[in-house]
Amino acid sequence: MAQENDIAWTPILYCVGAGVAGLALGTFLVAPMVQKMKAKKLAEQKKKAISSPNKK
């Protein structure tokens, strides 16, 4: 019987760790920045929409 492990776990664990780190990074850093940018853009559009009908 073979005593050695046939599966190379080190690269698999690196890939899993990188995936988990990527999800955490996207969730806690990138998503709030994107949401903030969208909110700012929407506020600028609302500001333009409100101010443009009054100007002649």
Side-chain angles (χ1 to χ4, degrees), residues 1 9 14-18 22-23 28 34 36 41 45 52 56:
M1 296 278 174
W9 284 105
Y14 276 122
C15 290
V16 170
L23 284 172
F28 296 113
V34 170
K36 190 175 181 181
K41 194 174 189 181
Q45 287 176 347
S52 60
K56 290 185 180 181

Side-chain angles (χ1 to χ4, degrees), residues 11-42:
I12 294 170
L13 291 175
Y14 276 122
C15 290
V16 170
V20 170
L23 284 172
L25 190 73
T27 302
F28 296 113
L29 291 178
V30 177
M33 291 190 323
V34 170
Q35 187 177 10
K36 190 175 181 181
M37 286 177 9
K38 283 184 180 179
K40 187 177 180 183
K41 194 174 189 181
L42 186 63

